[in-house]
Amino acid sequence: HELKPIPGAMLFLSYAHALFPNVGLATSSSAYTQQGLFKQLSLEYYFDAVTTGDDVHAPKPNPEAYTRTAAELNVPPSDTIVIEDTDVGICAARSAGCRPIGITTSQTAAALYTAGAEQVAHNYTDLARIVFGALHVQALSPLSFLPSSTKA
């Protein structure tokens, strides 16, 4: 069956890939599942490093997936922003020394904050405002990531 991305997710990934020097994925899914999803949604372009559940000794909330991905990107965990939709993922990111931001695609904001999220977004437009906030994001659209003073 055909999977469809969450509204706004692909545009968010496009901008993250363009604006950040490194974008990684740390997933609890198997490599088989991850590769199938990447192929179906053409995601390989967006990620510079991928860690799957097959690559780690212990699943989230163990921080290994995040520390491994950060190491593969040659970035200290403290210099990473992690987008997570589960409390165990938030705990793993926090334990790894990363800066976790929650998104409520699978759990409530309260659960994500309780787990240690620094901020929580309710959708990808909110997430863009949080992550790309320095660019004065107004809405998730192709022009939304330009500084507001350059908009016509």
Side-chain angles (χ1 to χ4, degrees), residues 45-130:
Y45 167 79
Y46 298 103
F47 297 96
D48 303 298
V50 176
T51 301
T52 69
D54 295 341
D55 300 318
V56 297
H57 293 86
K60 299 172 189 176
N62 184 294
E64 182 184 4
Y66 289 115
T67 57
R68 183 181 177 109
T69 304
E72 193 172 328
L73 293 170
N74 200 28
V75 177
S78 60
D79 289 348
T80 64
I81 296 170
V82 169
I83 311 305
E84 256 298 345
D85 64 345
T86 66
D87 55 353
V88 295
I90 295 287
C91 288
R94 175 76 60 205
S95 295
C98 304
R99 300 182 55 209
I101 298 173
I103 185 163
T104 59
T105 53
S106 65
Q107 291 187 316
T108 66
L112 299 173
Y113 276 122
T114 299
E118 289 185 9
Q119 296 183 65
V120 173
H122 296 285
N123 54 49
Y124 278 92
T125 300
D126 288 347
L127 187 61
R129 286 187 183 111
I130 292 167

Side-chain angles (χ1 to χ4, degrees), residues 2-81:
E2 184 179 339
L3 294 176
K4 293 183 181 176
I6 296 168
M10 297 302 289
L11 186 57
F12 180 87
L13 278 174
S14 295
Y15 282 108
H17 183 75
L19 297 172
F20 290 107
N22 297 295
V23 178
L25 174 68
T27 178
S28 296
S29 295
S30 69
Y32 177 81
T33 300
Q34 173 267 315
Q35 290 166 2
L37 184 64
F38 270 40
K39 184 175 181 173
Q40 190 169 5
L41 297 176
S42 300
L43 294 174
E44 19 330 274
Y45 167 79
Y46 298 103
F47 297 96
D48 303 298
V50 176
T51 301
T52 69
D54 295 341
D55 300 318
V56 297
H57 293 86
K60 299 172 189 176
N62 184 294
E64 182 184 4
Y66 289 115
T67 57
R68 183 181 177 109
T69 304
E72 193 172 328
L73 293 170
N74 200 28
V75 177
S78 60
D79 289 348
T80 64
I81 296 170

